Structures are given as C-alpha cells and as structure tokens.
Amino acid sequence: MMEWRDQGAVLTMRPHGESSAIIEVFTAAHGRHAGVVRGGASRRMAAVVQPGTQVDVVWRARLDEQIGSYTVEPLQSRAGLMADRLALAGLNAICAMLHAALPERESHPALYRHSIALLNALQTPGWPPDYLRWEQALLEELGFALDLTRCAITGSREDLAYVSPKTGRAVNRDAAGDWAARLLPLPPVMLGQGPASRIEIAQGLAITGHFLTRSLEPTLNGRPLPEARHRLLDLLARE
C-alpha cells in the first residue's frame, strides 16, 4: 500500500459516481495530484473540496500509478471570496492556470509557496500586481523566464520600454527604433517601479499571456489559455 500525507490547495473537483468526487490538489511536496474522495459529492463535503480550499490530505493507493483515494481535512476556507467578484475571479484563474500548466505529480516548492501567498493575498485590496508577478513566476517555473534586467541590444539598464515577443528580453526605447510597433510594451510595474495602473496591469498580463500561450502550446494543443484567466482580465479591465 502506497501512502503519503501533505498539505495543499484544491484546484479542481468533479463528481465521480453517485456520491464520490475526484479532486486535484496542488500540494507542497507532491505537486498537482489527483485522488478520489469518498462522499466528496455530499452536501457536507461540498465546501471542503471547493477550488481554493486549503486542505490536509492523506493519499492512499495499492500501486503508485493508480489514482488512489484522499482523506481530506479542511485547514482554511476561502469561501469568503465568494462575495468579491474580482477576488473570486482571481482564485479561479490561479487554480485553472496551475491545472493547465503543471505536469502531474511533479513538485514545485517555490511556486507552491508563491501560489499560497497569492491565494491569501486575494483577501486584501491591491493584489492584481501580485497576480502579474505570480504569472511571471509561473513562466520561470516552466523554463520561460523573462529577462527584464537589461536591453537585449545595447546592454543598457536605462529606459527599458519593450519586450521582444520572440526572446522575452527587454529592449531599450532608443534601441527599439522602427521595430517598436512589433514589440510588446513593457510597463514599469514589471520593473518594480511604482504603483500599477489598470493599463499597466493589462500590458503586463499581455506579456505573460503571450509567453504562457507559447510555453504551453504542446499542452493546449491549439486551445487558448483557460477561460478563467480571460474572465479575470475582463474584470480587471472594467475596474
């Protein structure tokens, strides 16, 4: 019998049979990992297995390659976010992006800590820049880190204004020249400069979205990034 215990956040839940559910949990040591919860479709367990809920889980299976079963204990409910449309959209986007981007059963401890911190931050105002930085961290975890430290052409650290859509490297305003229209605008918030406006957040998410789409192309197989992310961007544009 295989068995381990871990903590994590529920990413997805779908009914299984008459009374059970299959949940996917992003765990600290075991990554994105699915399992069956007996009675998980019951009214009593509904709040426990909702996406975003922080849980303590014990996973058991006869063989490691089997889906196995979870025993679940709630640690932190994020049901309070239901009353905040933007925060709920942020939670759904985080869960959907982790589900779409991460290989199953592969540990990502740094991204796990960053993700839990972001889920907690949704309860406070001013979290959208944190979500943008989280998408940058997700890109880095996937091996597509952006290089925004210096101009790819001149090496200068001054007046960085664009990102190359091919390389993910920053470009100085003067160095961009006639090519500026083909580059992605680089908002100051991605350089750690000052508070972020609504326009800057949109520009930043256009950059991360471009490279997430490219890095996840084999997984997405021609599909767009998760709809939950598009709903978040739409709400951010209205704020």
Side-chain angles (χ1 to χ4, degrees):
M1 176 69 73
M2 312 293 297
E3 179 176 321
W4 51 257
R5 184 171 190 164
D6 206 347
Q7 294 184 6
V10 178
L11 298 184
T12 65
M13 186 280 286
R14 66 180 190 272
H16 178 68
E18 293 186 1
S19 60
S20 298
I22 295 177
I23 65 170
E24 195 171 62
V25 184
F26 184 32
T27 63
H30 298 86
R32 181 171 71 88
H33 204 293
V36 177
V37 180
R38 308 298 177 192
S42 68
R43 182 176 300 180
R44 183 181 66 85
M45 288 292 294
V48 178
V49 296
Q50 285 302 304
T53 305
Q54 195 74 10
V55 291
D56 184 282
V57 293
V58 177
W59 180 83
R60 298 181 180 89
R62 189 170 61 84
L63 300 173
D64 185 60
E65 60 267 22
Q66 293 178 325
I67 189 171
S69 63
Y70 273 137
T71 301
V72 182
E73 292 293 336
L75 295 176
Q76 180 181 351
S77 170
R78 296 189 171 93
L81 299 179
M82 296 286 288
D84 184 330
R85 186 170 61 163
L86 183 61
L88 180 61
L91 182 151
N92 289 334
I94 295 165
C95 292
M97 289 301 296
L98 289 170
H99 170 73
L102 298 183
E104 289 187 275
R105 304 188 178 193
E106 185 176 286
S107 177
H108 295 273
L111 182 63
Y112 173 80
R113 291 190 295 271
H114 199 155
S115 301
I116 299 305
L118 177 58
L119 286 169
N120 292 334
L122 295 176
Q123 303 174 60
T124 60
W127 57 265
D130 296 329
Y131 178 86
L132 173 58
R133 286 186 282 271
W134 177 80
E135 284 204 350
Q136 288 182 255
L138 179 58
L139 271 173
E140 185 171 354
E141 200 77 11
L142 296 172
F144 285 81
L146 303 175
D147 182 358
L148 308 179
T149 58
R150 63 179 70 241
C151 176
I153 299 171
T154 67
S156 171
R157 296 180 182 271
E158 302 299 322
D159 201 20
L160 301 176
Y162 302 99
V163 174
S164 166
K166 291 185 178 181
T167 67
R169 300 181 66 187
V171 180
N172 175 279
R173 191 180 307 275
D174 290 337
D178 295 338
W179 290 88
R182 304 187 184 186
L183 304 175
L184 301 170
L186 174 59
V189 65
M190 295 187 78
L191 300 172
Q193 299 173 2
S197 68
R198 180 180 63 182
I199 293 175
E200 286 186 30
I201 294 294
Q203 289 175 331
L205 291 173
I207 292 172
T208 54
H210 171 81
F211 288 101
L212 283 166
T213 299
R214 197 170 83 177
S215 64
L216 295 174
E217 186 175 0
T219 304
L220 295 173
N221 196 25
R223 300 188 305 275
L225 292 174
E227 179 61 29
R229 183 183 187 271
H230 292 286
R231 286 196 295 270
L232 172 62
L233 268 61
D234 183 57
L235 283 175
L236 285 171
R238 299 182 199 173
E239 288 294 308

